Amino acid sequence: MKRTSLKEKYLIFKVRQKKDAKAFGQLYDYYVTRIYRFILFKVATPEEAEDLTSEVFLKTWEYINKTTKVIKNINALFYRVARNSVIDYYRGRVFEARVSDEEHLKRIQDKRDLVSEVDAKMGVAEFEKNLRKLKDIYREAILLKYVEDFSISDIAEIMDKSNANVRVLLHRALKALKEIVGEENK
């Protein structure tokens, strides 16, 4: 994907130097839908996704105002905070039953614009069902690459892995997904 633009760097500067909520609001407006969609793939309900999305932006605001580090990629920062928030969310609670397939299918169709190639090969419900069978790390890599359209280097930064590890992870994830699809077509 992209590195932090000049405009985003300026907004970060305003947030950091002047605690400018309006500047952060502009970052929020740009990223909120994408972060919400990323989180929605990982939790059971839209309400949980909304709560976690709010938490992500609060944590990012606090991080920007506390750190002295240069933020090279605000995009990756938002996704890393989102990823860690979801991990913390599941650590702190007992896993609850997932929504029914029909409700989940409706939510996916209402909230997401899935990759057209995947939709052509298998229905949205089938894709989601097969995706849920993968290990969390495989599912996350596939979502970041093929739904969110991140580059290998951005995924590596988000997942705190090397580029080579991400390539291997994606290869294994796609192989596992193909095996799942192949088993169902037998």
Side-chain angles (χ1 to χ4, degrees):
M1 201 129 206
K2 66 174 184 64
R3 294 285 174 215
T4 302
S5 71
L6 187 57
K7 180 181 179 182
E8 289 170 325
K9 287 179 183 177
Y10 177 68
L11 292 172
I12 292 167
F13 172 78
K14 286 176 71 173
V15 170
R16 191 175 268 168
Q17 297 302 316
K18 301 176 184 178
K19 308 274 192 258
D20 188 340
K22 264 188 168 178
F24 191 76
Q26 290 178 355
L27 289 170
Y28 174 89
D29 290 341
Y30 183 73
Y31 285 101
V32 68
T33 303
R34 294 164 50 190
I35 297 299
Y36 172 78
R37 182 178 59 221
F38 175 74
I39 292 172
L40 186 60
F41 263 115
K42 296 174 169 291
V43 297
T45 67
E47 293 78 21
E48 291 170 332
E50 289 169 6
D51 291 346
L52 285 171
T53 301
S54 297
E55 185 179 308
V56 166
F57 284 94
L58 178 62
K59 286 179 178 179
T60 305
W61 165 267
E62 291 170 352
Y63 177 80
I64 290 172
N65 285 300
K66 287 180 183 175
T67 189
T68 56
K69 294 180 183 177
V70 174
I71 298 171
K72 294 179 182 174
N73 189 339
I74 190 72
N75 191 37
L77 175 64
F78 276 120
Y79 278 90
R80 177 177 268 179
V81 172
R83 178 178 187 262
N84 290 338
S85 293
V86 170
I87 290 168
D88 291 345
Y89 169 77
Y90 281 113
R91 265 191 205 134
R93 65 188 277 266
V94 175
F95 187 77
E96 294 177 4
R98 292 277 175 194
V99 232
S100 72
D101 286 341
E102 299 86 38
E103 290 174 52
H104 201 60
L105 172 60
K106 183 180 181 329
R107 187 173 77 221
I108 290 170
Q109 289 170 334
D110 290 345
K111 301 288 183 183
R112 299 180 201 146
D113 181 24
L114 293 175
V115 181
S116 60
E117 300 95 63
V118 173
D119 194 30
K121 291 182 180 175
M122 64 179 90
V124 175
E126 190 70 21
F127 171 69
E128 181 70 13
K129 185 177 95 179
N130 290 333
L131 206 57
R132 293 256 178 238
K133 293 178 182 177
L134 292 173
K135 290 183 189 178
D136 287 339
I137 196 159
Y138 287 176
R139 181 172 51 249
E140 185 172 0
I142 287 175
L143 291 173
L144 288 170
K145 179 67 177 162
Y146 299 105
V147 176
E148 297 298 331
D149 200 30
F150 278 103
S151 68
I152 297 294
S153 60
D154 285 340
I155 296 170
E157 192 171 338
I158 291 166
M159 296 181 82
D160 197 25
K161 298 192 177 298
S162 71
N163 288 356
N165 284 350
V166 170
R167 282 188 196 93
V168 169
L169 188 63
L170 280 167
H171 174 76
R172 289 177 181 167
L174 290 173
K175 183 178 177 184
L177 187 58
K178 284 178 187 177
E179 287 174 4
I180 291 169
V181 171
E183 287 175 9
E184 290 192 358
N185 290 334
K186 288 183 179 180

